[in-house]
Amino acid sequence: MAIEIQTPSTWQQYRTLLGKDLRREFRTREMLTSMGMYALLVLVVYGAALSQTSHSFDILQMSGGLLWAVIIFTSLLGLNRSFAHEKENGCLDGLLLVPLDRSVIFLAKATSNFLFMIVVELITVPLFAFFFLSTSPADTWPLIITPLLIGTVGIAGIGTLLSTITVNTRGKDVLLAVLFIPLIFPLLYACVSATTVALVGGDVEAIYMNALLLAGGYDVVMLLLSWVLYDFVVSA
Amino acid sequence: MNTVLEQIYATILPSAPFVIAAYALMWCALVVYVIYMTVKLKRTEAQMAVMEESLKKIDAEKNNASDRA
Amino acid sequence: MTQQMKRARESAGARCDRYAPLILGIGAILSTLGFILAFTLAAPVNGAAVDGTELIGDQMVSNQLLFSQKIFYFHMPVAITSFVAIGVAAFYGIRFLMTHRACYDMRGRVASEIALVFVIMVMCSGEMWERFEWGVWWTWEPRLTTYFILMLLVFGYFILRAAVDDPERRATYASVFSIVTFVDVPICFMITRLVPSGVHPTIFRSDSGLSPDMLIPLLLAMFGMFCIAFGVYRLRLRCAQLDVRLEALKERLDD
């Protein structure tokens, strides 16, 4: 009599891997708290950096850039931590023993990184507005949600690929920063321009849509490339 | 020279050092790379020579050993 | 691999090595010719307008004649060559990931070194041109910024190689990174069409803005630079192969 072994589908594997990451995070809440504290402390540093500006200084022009700088620095921290766990407990080796398509690991990791980043941004953006945006932004300010989403997707995708590479090297954190920041730069530029134009007002339509198209295109290309290359990277 | 001709040629002399510097720097970068390659090559050749010396010594020892045996 | 294929591959490498110095020489001659023609044949470009008109040669000139634009005749070919070198490195990265043969990793590394040299050349000449033309040492202009990012990516490639110990892992990571670096090259090339800027006009349009007397030195310099890059690449590859043979010898001698 033949025994039927049911291999789980890709979607089920994805859900299991994602659930593992989310469950671990909700049990310890370690990464979220450290990322949240880090974002808060970067805002404090901003306070010191901007303390000498005159009262007539229009911080609204810089606000998009400052916000995205916080997000980038926090994501560098979070990306490193997410893979450090896997390596310490030998979880990655265990995963590699399972006969699955290794790009599913990439999807699950990228999604969990994306969700953590979104949670941190939900905390950081209101804090940023509270601390620095004393002059109220333009009416189009809800439009910053889309650049935040698109940018975070890109950061999660590229960051997952790069953190898988750098977790196995000497000088892990610094190397991640060295490799990550040039790759994320076009995305950062587009998202900063979209966010700034949404906060400051002015000629919103043209600049906003152009910037989002650029960011979205870059996202798609980088995510596809990371998906395809992830198998080679994680098997090395 | 009348003033118009002076104006037309006004930027040439100030720009000359920059143009020369640009081409010179480009050429220097290539030359530096070629020098770096040559230095590495010489070092490798020196190590090759050392290898060959030790190989010769080992061969001589083997011959001595087989002669005595 | 069969003996025949091995012999064919080795003779292809030997033929390349035999012709490499010749190609290097051709490259040097072509680029020198381009250099001379850039100053003698190509007409000077017009700058800002002046107050009057003068008859120079057989043309009525009413603008300042720019000498600093002559940097362009080497600046652009070197930039194109650096893009090609990064493309070659990405190609060998893909080949390595497909076959896991160390020879492709070595070729990828040498191609990246060549790319680094040419990127530095572009940054130097661009810096000199910018300093004179616009009086500042740097602007955050789209093409300058994207090219600077490309330079940082090539630096990052070498930093990544230095940080990994295991050879196979190092080769895999380096190949992946060189493929990702190549994604920035089309962005660099097309950025002036997407984001208009004052400093870098678009050159290769359908109605090309270049007259033949400017095109000739440019093309000569470009092919000269390609030949120089290929010649230097082959020479450096021979050095790298010699290093590998030396290491193998050392291992055997230690036993």
Side-chain angles (χ1 to χ4, degrees), chain A residues 37 48 152 213:
Chain A
M37 273 307 290
T152 314
L213 278 176

Side-chain angles (χ1 to χ4, degrees), chain C residues 118-167:
Chain C
F118 278 89
V119 161
I120 292 181
M121 281 165 75
V122 170
M123 291 303 268
C124 283
S125 53
E127 185 72 3
M128 291 292 113
W129 196 1
E130 162 129 27
R131 178 71 182 101
F132 173 72
E133 202 75 40
W134 299 84
V136 291
W137 287 110
W138 184 259
T139 52
W140 286 106
E141 190 253 336
R143 176 162 265 177
L144 278 169
T145 315
T146 42
Y147 201 82
F148 186 62
I149 297 296
L150 196 67
M151 183 175 80
L152 290 178
L153 284 174
V154 179
F155 284 165
Y157 176 88
F158 287 107
I159 297 180
L160 179 61
R161 283 198 84 99
V164 186
D165 288 328
D166 176 31

Side-chain angles (χ1 to χ4, degrees), chain B residues 2 4 7-12 14-15 18-19 21-23 26 29 33 37 41 44 47-48 51 55, chain C residues 35 50-51 54 56 63-65 67-68 70 74 113 117 121 128 131-132 232 236 239 243 246 250 253:
Chain B
N2 62 358
V4 182
Q7 278 183 338
I8 289 181
Y9 290 131
T11 59
I12 294 194
S15 68
F18 287 96
V19 174
Y23 278 101
M26 284 205 271
Y33 187 60
M37 252 203 310
L41 196 60
T44 311
Q47 289 201 341
M48 276 281 205
M51 290 286 128
L55 253 171
Chain C
F35 176 72
V50 293
D51 301 331
E54 273 294 323
I56 299 181
N63 298 62
Q64 282 188 321
L65 292 180
F67 187 61
S68 58
K70 305 284 184 185
F74 258 46
E113 278 190 25
V117 172
M121 281 165 75
M128 291 292 113
R131 178 71 182 101
F132 173 72
V232 178
R236 180 78 180 102
C239 293
D243 278 333
L246 185 70
K250 265 197 216 170
L253 223 61

Side-chain angles (χ1 to χ4, degrees), chain A residues 87 161-162 164-166 168-171 175 178-179 181-183 185-186 189 214 218 221-222 225 229 232-234 236, chain C residues 97-98 100 140 142 145 149 152-153 156-157 159-160 162-165 169 172-173 176-177 179-181 183-184 187 194:
Chain A
K87 194 143 186 282
L161 179 71
L162 287 179
T164 317
I165 291 181
T166 56
N168 282 323
T169 65
R170 287 176 266 145
L175 194 60
V178 166
L179 301 180
I181 293 181
L183 280 179
F185 188 88
Y189 182 82
L214 207 65
Y218 193 75
V221 168
M222 276 306 182
L225 207 58
L229 293 173
F232 299 106
V233 166
V234 87
Chain C
L97 288 179
M98 280 164 58
H100 276 272
W140 286 106
T145 315
I149 297 296
L152 290 178
L153 284 174
Y157 176 88
I159 297 180
L160 179 61
V164 186
D165 288 328
R169 198 178 253 181
T172 314
Y173 289 168
V176 166
F177 197 70
I179 296 174
V180 177
T181 306
V183 174
D184 197 26
I187 297 180
L194 298 173

